[in-house]
Amino acid sequence: MMADKNKTASIDGLNQMFRIPKKGDGDQRKDIIKKVESLEETGDSILTKINLEDVIGEILNDKYEVLEGYSFEDSIKFLKEKYQSGEYPNWPTSYSKCKNCEFKATNDQLKSGLKSGFHECMKFQHKWKDDNLFQPSIFEIWNFRSKVIENLFNENRLLFEQLTENDLNPEPKSGEISSSERRWIQVDKAVKGDNKVYFLKDELKTEIENWNFPLHFIDFETSAVALPFTKGRRPYEQVAFQFSHHMIDQNGNIHHQSEFLNADAGVFPNYEFARSLKKSLENDNGTIFKFATHENTILNVIINQLKGSDESDKYELIDFLKSITNSSRNSPDQWVGERDMIDLRKVVLKYYYNPHTKGSNSIKHLLPATLKSSDFLKEKYSQPIREIGLSSKNFPQDHIWLQIENDELVNPYSRLPKLFEDWELEDFEGNISGIESIADGGMALTTYAKLQYVDMSEAEREELVSGLKKYCELDTLAMVMIYEHLKEITH
């Protein structure tokens, strides 16, 4: 039985009919409290029955290989024997499989003595020495999808120091850093131990000068759940439950201007989300920033949801959302809004490379990299909020964003306050969410799900809501810091 995206819920509150019990009322890992007496109370089924007999038969009859060259049964026996004996299987490696290996420890984990299956293969089959485990390798090269990298792997040239410029064949592109140039810059700087940022000053400066004040930075938190919240919604339909919004005015003052969060159980928040976003952004023509494509995708979804809704202000909302977005490729209605959001990630990719990111362009890697590279940011954000021309809706005025420990800058995401820190032990022991901190998007999504499905105390709900607000605020403040750094280096 599988959730069917072509079906819609025929009743409201379907997701509230099955709850995780409180402590003492059952096993929270496997028990479910049903709030209904009969299946009929759940309305029309959103499930579809899928017959898997043919697929299972094909697997058992070796149509699909588990291990290359082995029958299904022999594959199971081989894996069982290796698992039981602990013997290294010496299975042939390949670039694509090794790059996506699940059993790869980080450098910090390796230093602490944890084992890494990935590095074990590199040592046994590719003759890596212990020092090689901490050196940059071809698995870290950004967006390298050519056959060249397969050839390098087959030649056992895996380390940056074994590569030449000819291997990566960088091809310049007028006015921006090309993808191939970016890859070679990454390798070359890593080999030379050069941590200075590389950027196209004139092009980046021109880009920044085209932006209109006040500048707006927004970030969304969203979820896609199997059981729809409300009538007419489909399984796994996108739910936008939170945003944060920072603004920089003409004088450089930074305001945590607005935020939205609706984590009420069983409430479909998207239309209120859109209204709140409109209220936050419609008062001027300032440039709006997102980081990557997620925000544009979500607003496209909400536009389509509004089209089929009975909301009295749906046309106003649709017009506004179209004004700050561009249409998805498969949309029958194509548009580019007059205030189409600027993707700060694309700006970075076109004009800027920071060796501290090690090729990653996620905001979680880019933020600490820019902080390491900017004396201005380090000096500014190592002071309390009250002293740096910054407002905050969720942090006290004495909060300091940057700390140095053991001569290393601490990532601000790791400094987000732990949940329940001020609680008495007896109060904390009654918690049932199992969440201690919210420092990434995955945990934010998990927290939202817990707020939907778990019957918890109001105090615990408030603590989780507070954690969500702090996390989302840092996401937009991170965008502000990156902007400040880009502006700094172009002056």
Side-chain angles (χ1 to χ4, degrees), residues 164-194:
T164 68
E165 188 171 355
N166 286 336
D167 291 325
L168 277 77
N169 190 28
E171 297 179 358
K173 187 174 182 180
S174 178
E176 61 184 81
I177 304 170
S178 71
S179 295
S180 58
E181 280 183 301
R182 191 176 193 84
R183 288 191 284 270
W184 173 242
I185 292 167
Q186 178 188 352
V187 171
D188 188 45
K189 281 184 170 289
V191 171
K192 293 176 179 176
D194 177 5

Side-chain angles (χ1 to χ4, degrees), residues 23-85:
K23 278 187 178 179
D25 293 339
D27 187 331
Q28 293 178 343
R29 291 186 302 111
K30 63 182 182 181
D31 289 346
I32 293 292
I33 297 175
K34 291 186 289 186
K35 296 292 182 87
V36 292
E37 299 293 331
S38 67
L39 193 60
E40 286 71 27
E41 293 177 66
T42 65
D44 297 338
S45 175
I46 57 164
L47 302 178
T48 292
K49 189 174 184 179
I50 308 294
N51 189 330
L52 298 176
E53 286 184 2
D54 291 344
V55 175
I56 292 171
E58 290 171 345
I59 292 172
L60 294 174
N61 291 321
D62 303 323
K63 182 175 180 179
Y64 308 104
E65 286 186 322
V66 178
L67 297 177
E68 187 176 348
Y70 285 69
S71 69
F72 176 77
E73 188 173 343
D74 287 342
S75 296
I76 302 305
K77 287 180 180 177
F78 176 86
L79 293 170
K80 181 188 76 170
E81 289 167 1
K82 295 301 179 185
Y83 181 79
Q84 289 179 326
S85 68

Side-chain angles (χ1 to χ4, degrees), residues 79-110:
L79 293 170
K80 181 188 76 170
E81 289 167 1
K82 295 301 179 185
Y83 181 79
Q84 289 179 326
S85 68
E87 178 188 355
Y88 180 73
N90 211 40
W91 194 260
T93 57
S94 72
Y95 170 75
S96 59
K97 289 181 180 177
C98 291
K99 180 176 174 62
N100 297 310
C101 179
E102 301 173 63
F103 309 102
K104 185 187 299 183
T106 64
N107 284 352
D108 288 340
Q109 290 171 331
L110 284 169

Side-chain angles (χ1 to χ4, degrees), residues 380-398:
K380 178 176 180 178
Y381 288 97
S382 59
Q383 301 177 64
I385 285 175
R386 69 166 67 89
E387 297 179 19
I388 57 177
L390 174 71
S391 71
S392 171
K393 292 186 174 296
N394 300 295
F395 292 90
Q397 288 296 295
D398 61 354

Side-chain angles (χ1 to χ4, degrees), residues 323-342:
S323 75
I324 66 170
T325 59
N326 59 78
S327 55
S328 59
R329 288 181 185 176
N330 58 359
S331 172
D333 179 16
Q334 293 290 303
W335 72 87
V336 176
E338 59 270 22
R339 289 178 73 197
D340 189 18
M341 293 178 284
I342 299 288

Side-chain angles (χ1 to χ4, degrees), residues 108 111 195 356 358 368-369 371-372 378 401-412 414-415:
D108 288 340
K111 290 173 183 176
N195 285 323
H356 291 299
K358 298 183 179 179
L371 293 171
K372 285 180 181 178
K378 278 187 276 196
W401 282 110
L402 292 190
Q403 295 285 353
I404 306 293
E405 293 179 5
N406 301 320
D407 295 326
E408 285 288 326
L409 186 145
V410 180
N411 189 331
S414 67
R415 292 207 68 245

Side-chain angles (χ1 to χ4, degrees), residues 147-386:
K147 286 186 178 179
V148 172
I149 203 159
E150 296 280 358
N151 295 335
L152 292 172
F153 184 89
N154 294 333
E155 293 169 10
N156 201 28
R157 291 199 289 139
L158 308 185
L159 301 173
F160 278 12
E161 63 184 23
Q162 297 172 303
L163 307 181
T164 68
E165 188 171 355
N166 286 336
D167 291 325
L168 277 77
N169 190 28
E171 297 179 358
K173 187 174 182 180
S174 178
E176 61 184 81
I177 304 170
S178 71
S179 295
S180 58
E181 280 183 301
R182 191 176 193 84
R183 288 191 284 270
W184 173 242
I185 292 167
Q186 178 188 352
V187 171
D188 188 45
K189 281 184 170 289
V191 171
K192 293 176 179 176
D194 177 5
N195 285 323
K196 292 182 180 178
V197 299
Y198 177 91
F199 62 102
L200 303 182
K201 183 175 181 178
D202 292 340
E203 290 85 350
L204 180 56
K205 186 174 183 179
T206 300
E207 172 76 27
I208 291 173
E209 288 173 347
N210 287 328
W211 299 340
N212 299 319
F213 284 96
L215 307 179
H216 303 274
F217 302 83
I218 60 172
D219 176 77
F220 299 171
E221 301 301 330
T222 62
S223 177
V225 294
L227 295 179
F229 295 166
T230 51
K231 183 179 179 180
R233 303 267 71 90
R234 304 177 190 276
Y236 301 111
E237 195 165 350
Q238 286 285 357
V239 173
F241 62 89
Q242 182 178 14
F243 72 73
S244 174
H245 166 214
H246 270 85
M247 185 179 79
I248 302 179
D249 64 26
Q250 187 76 48
N251 298 319
N253 297 310
I254 301 169
H255 312 272
H256 189 210
Q257 188 72 6
S258 62
E259 62 184 359
F260 173 89
L261 175 60
N262 188 331
D264 294 342
V267 173
F268 182 67
N270 288 23
Y271 303 146
E272 282 304 317
F273 177 100
R275 291 184 184 103
S276 185
L277 189 68
K278 179 175 181 289
K279 183 178 179 181
S280 297
L281 298 174
E282 69 180 348
N283 302 309
D284 56 64
N285 290 312
T287 300
I288 305 168
F289 296 89
K290 60 188 177 184
F291 198 92
T293 60
H294 181 64
E295 282 68 26
N296 192 78
T297 300
I298 294 302
L299 294 184
N300 269 259
V301 169
I302 295 177
I303 287 169
N304 286 328
Q305 292 169 335
L306 281 164
K307 286 178 179 177
S309 77
D310 296 324
E311 302 299 303
S312 60
D313 58 346
K314 70 177 186 179
Y315 296 111
E316 289 177 49
L317 292 173
I318 289 171
D319 286 346
F320 168 74
L321 295 181
K322 283 187 172 182
S323 75
I324 66 170
T325 59
N326 59 78
S327 55
S328 59
R329 288 181 185 176
N330 58 359
S331 172
D333 179 16
Q334 293 290 303
W335 72 87
V336 176
E338 59 270 22
R339 289 178 73 197
D340 189 18
M341 293 178 284
I342 299 288
D343 186 345
L344 199 55
R345 180 177 179 272
K346 282 188 178 179
V347 173
V348 168
L349 285 174
K350 287 173 71 173
Y351 308 119
Y352 176 94
Y353 176 73
N354 191 316
H356 291 299
T357 63
K358 298 183 179 179
S360 171
N361 295 292
S362 76
I363 198 166
K364 300 300 186 293
H365 289 92
L366 188 58
L367 174 62
T370 55
L371 293 171
K372 285 180 181 178
S373 302
S374 171
D375 290 334
F376 165 75
L377 290 179
K378 278 187 276 196
E379 181 181 353
K380 178 176 180 178
Y381 288 97
S382 59
Q383 301 177 64
I385 285 175
R386 69 166 67 89

Side-chain angles (χ1 to χ4, degrees), residues 412-428:
Y413 282 95
S414 67
R415 292 207 68 245
L416 285 167
K418 301 292 183 186
L419 301 179
F420 311 108
E421 277 190 316
D422 300 328
W423 284 37
E424 298 293 337
L425 181 60
E426 58 268 23
D427 295 328
F428 180 73

